[in-house]
Amino acid sequence: MPMQVIINSLIAGSEYALIAIGFSLVFRITQFFFIAYGAVYTAGGYIAYVGVAVLGISPWVAIPAAVLLAGALGTTIDVVVHRRLRRRKASPATHLIASLGVLVVLQNSISLIFGDATIGFRAGVVREGWFVFGARITPVQVVTVAVGLLVPVIIWLCLHRSRWGRMVRAVASDSELASVHGIPCGRIISGVFLLSSSLAACSAILAAYDTDLTPAMGFSAVLMAIIAVIVGGSDSHAGAIVGAYFVGAVEHVVGWSFSTQWQEPLLFCTLIAFLLLRPSGILGRRPARGGT
Amino acid sequence: MEYVIHIGIFVCIYYLLATSLDLVAGHTGLLSFAHASFFAIGAYVSAIIGIRLGAPFIVGAIVAAVSAGLLSVLVSGPSLRLRGDYFILVTFAFQMIVFGVLNNWIEVTGGALGVSGILQPEIGGFKIDSHLGYFLLAAGTACAGHCVVWRLVGSPFGRVLRAIREDEGLAQAWGKNPFRFKVTAFVVSAMMAAVAGTLYAHYITYIDPSSFTVTESILIIAMVVIGGAGSSWGPLIGAVVLVTLPELLRFVGLPSSVAANLRQIIYGGLLVTMMLFRPRGLVGKYAFSH
């Protein structure tokens, strides 16, 4: 198999790893699919665009600002929509539908303001990139791979070596028991939304430097995140990472062996195959069986 | 007046879609994102059969419905044993796969260019070539669909569906096989969606994959949710509201791209608002509470 396919799989996997772990954080603590994650992802990219390309602020300032603002957006979605639903003990389906509504509103708002055309804020000359073992890789892609490998480690450290992380894991494990112990579940969950949305924005900005911005980019991203989390195993964040690299590999191997048109349908076939045959994913332990 | 009839035809088509989705989502509690894919299958199968094989309209509709029914068994059979949100994911994935096939299987479906030149229906020697004539066809079909769902929902079959929705374990303890009921409901709903697809294809006489995306599935879900799930009038109200609303926007004089986004923003906003403040929708009986 050509080195380029391997390198591309690695790059795609790293991109998805970042997205997947953000998604997994919310999924594990709230047990619902935070579809609006796609909207926060897109918003992060576009806020950075406004900062860098429209307002002319230095990327060193605009990017962290965009990440924080996207995080704030995610937290707002949680507080305004999902916290209220949680108080009513709403079902996961209700959360899903509400999240879907939020995604539709935000994505179309972005489309309304910025149009549907692809826009970018890449500065400077389009660089050719370097040759590594006979395959081409650009500087942005190198950063993506590095971030994709580094961030999961940082997240793991946050979750397992800090007091906050311990509280997050407690709420994820049993929120009622955690609140009995005095852990402020609402605020912890909002904090997770903040972290997750910030990660989404980071990922979007990296993607924007690689392939520019479109309003629908977040929707594709959240779909990849869902596939990665399910395929890799929804029980753990490691599963999300493994799933992400698996998805990246499948995507590029399929693209190289057949054609790029069939990448997406085949990825969804993979998702169905895992859901039917191994719902707990590659790394999962508990099989998810039973009725509604 | 032609314009009003045109709206009326779309209300009928979307009513068929909404009420069939309500059968599985509202009465059985199975939220499905695959409805637009069965709509698409109905449209494409009847269009292709009509054009390539010269089959009459009714034959095309029947073949379309049967195809959708068979595919729905294929999808739901293995996946109805999964837990709720995983079943939803399977329907979502199926929808994306069908769209991918429609978009890429160029030899059969024409890919992104779609299928054009679909013939207007001819039933028993009567050629339907006026808007009013088509409206009568669509309304008649919608009434027939309504009767089918009404009878199913009011019958013991419907009661078991609602029992399964509320507490599957209990329904099973009373000797009902939930799996068979769920699959039956799913197949009936898929077949009805396919019939709606047939109506759509032969009315517009041109179809392409962009009318059958997951956004379309979400629109149909919105009709059920906003109108009210699990009730007889909910899907009708949902269909009327969500079909006529964008047409009203047209009169405000916005450019079409703005109108398209604004329409989606309104749908999305209504979805969120409903879930927050009135999950059972305007006149519904089921609040997606399981």
Side-chain angles (χ1 to χ4, degrees), chain A residues 187-251:
Chain A
R187 274 191 283 150
I188 294 283
I189 293 176
S190 296
V192 171
F193 269 83
L194 180 73
L195 179 61
S196 163
S197 307
S198 306
L199 282 174
C202 286
S203 184
I205 293 169
L206 279 170
Y209 271 105
D210 197 28
T211 52
D212 295 330
L213 298 163
T214 74
M217 63 193 289
F219 189 63
S220 315
V222 74
L223 291 182
M224 292 298 130
I226 293 176
I227 300 178
V229 165
I230 301 288
V231 163
S234 52
D235 285 348
S236 64
H237 296 306
I241 308 294
V242 167
Y245 283 98
F246 184 81
V247 166
V250 168
E251 186 184 41

Side-chain angles (χ1 to χ4, degrees), chain A residues 81 84-85 88 91 94 98 100-102 104-105 108 111-112 223 226 234 261-262 265 268-269 272 275-276 290 292, chain B residues 33 78 81-83 86 89-90 92-93 96-97 104 168 214 261 264-265 268-269 271-272 275-277 279 288:
Chain A
V81 178
R84 202 170 284 172
L85 291 178
R88 257 181 27 207
S91 66
T94 311
L100 200 58
V102 172
V104 168
V105 170
N108 281 281
S111 187
L112 204 62
L223 291 182
I226 293 176
S234 52
Q261 299 173 316
W262 294 103
F268 283 104
C269 284
I272 293 188
L275 283 169
L276 295 178
T292 330
Chain B
F33 276 85
R81 301 189 197 273
L82 298 175
R83 33 175 257 231
Y86 283 16
L89 275 184
V90 171
F92 195 95
M96 304 297 289
I97 292 171
N104 295 314
E168 191 171 323
V214 73
N261 287 320
Q264 297 269 340
I265 291 175
L271 269 180
V272 179
M275 285 295 110
L276 280 176
F277 301 113
F288 292 99

Side-chain angles (χ1 to χ4, degrees), chain A residues 74-136:
Chain A
T75 311
T76 310
I77 295 173
D78 173 52
V79 170
V80 170
V81 178
H82 294 287
R83 196 185 280 188
R84 202 170 284 172
L85 291 178
R86 279 198 299 275
R87 214 171 284 154
R88 257 181 27 207
K89 303 259 194 283
S91 66
T94 311
H95 281 275
L96 179 70
I97 296 174
S99 196
L100 200 58
V102 172
L103 172 69
V104 168
V105 170
L106 287 175
Q107 184 169 315
N108 281 281
S109 302
I110 291 176
S111 187
L112 204 62
I113 301 173
F114 296 97
D116 283 322
T118 309
I119 56 177
F121 56 84
R122 284 187 274 189
V125 178
V126 175
R127 282 178 276 185
E128 241 186 26
W130 306 305
F131 268 100
V132 173
F133 301 116
R136 190 170 295 236

Side-chain angles (χ1 to χ4, degrees), chain A residues 255-269:
Chain A
W256 172 70
S257 346
F258 298 109
S259 78
T260 48
Q261 299 173 316
W262 294 103
Q263 277 172 332
E264 206 179 75
L266 259 142
L267 275 175
F268 283 104
C269 284

